[in-house]
Amino acid sequence: MELSERLQTILGNVHSASKMELLEALKSLNIQIEELKPFLKKERNKPYYRKLLYKNETLELLVMNWSELDCVPHDHGKSHGWIQVINGVSENTVYEVKENQLPSELFTEIKEKGRSFFAPKGGVHKMGDFKGTNLVTLHLYS
């Protein structure tokens, strides 16, 4: 089945966009780097290039390929979702945010190809390509 058909079939049937339903959908897509190459573009002055692959009223799927620059710490607003490493190695730093204080670093984790991690609603993190590994990630958000 072609990528566009898989996206429509699998993501079109996600209804609650719960944490586990999103993870199962992302795994079921079984997207390979070869399928994503037409959507990738190198960025030199920004941390990443992103391309929207699918969107409906419940969720959106983005592919991102990373430069050597880290993104700034950020949250995902009212959304939550999963990030899957398709190629390379990701460095993800999670922060704690306390009222009227600057965010403080809690931990950094390294995720290799095939691994996924959850981005909770209101969670603050930054991520980037770990040591120039040509990082490509999928982001499925509610």
Side-chain angles (χ1 to χ4, degrees):
M1 187 182 310
E2 293 292 322
L3 178 59
S4 59
E5 292 177 73
R6 286 200 323 273
L7 295 176
Q8 186 61 47
T9 300
I10 294 169
L11 299 180
N13 286 309
V14 171
H15 300 292
S16 70
S18 68
K19 179 179 178 179
M20 294 316 297
E21 189 178 19
L22 289 177
L23 179 59
E24 289 305 315
L26 189 57
K27 286 180 177 180
S28 295
L29 288 169
N30 193 31
I31 296 175
Q32 305 300 310
I33 187 66
E34 292 77 21
E35 298 174 285
L36 297 173
K37 285 184 178 178
F39 306 107
L40 305 179
K41 179 180 164 185
K42 287 286 183 189
E43 282 288 352
R44 295 195 178 180
N45 299 319
K46 296 179 182 177
Y48 54 80
Y49 173 78
R50 68 180 179 184
K51 175 76 174 166
L52 181 66
L53 297 177
Y54 181 88
K55 184 175 182 172
N56 65 20
E57 63 282 344
T58 306
L59 55 81
E60 67 180 17
L61 178 68
L62 299 146
V63 61
M64 298 171 74
N65 61 295
W66 296 79
S67 72
E68 293 180 7
L69 304 172
D70 285 345
C71 66
V72 298
H74 63 280
D75 68 17
H76 294 275
K78 295 180 180 178
S79 295
H80 65 270
W82 289 91
I83 300 164
Q84 182 181 47
V85 178
I86 299 297
N87 191 72
V89 180
S90 167
E91 181 174 29
N92 183 51
T93 302
V94 176
Y95 294 83
E96 179 180 37
V97 180
K98 293 182 180 177
E99 194 171 328
N100 299 321
Q101 294 182 19
L102 291 173
S104 59
E105 189 175 312
L106 285 176
F107 61 89
T108 297
E109 57 187 356
I110 306 300
K111 298 287 185 180
E112 297 180 355
K113 179 180 174 180
R115 302 292 306 273
S116 300
F117 54 96
F118 186 66
K121 188 183 301 182
V124 176
H125 77 122
K126 75 172 184 177
M127 62 180 293
D129 185 352
F130 183 68
K131 298 185 178 180
T133 59
N134 295 315
L135 179 63
V136 177
T137 52
L138 286 174
H139 300 247
L140 182 59
Y141 298 122
S142 64

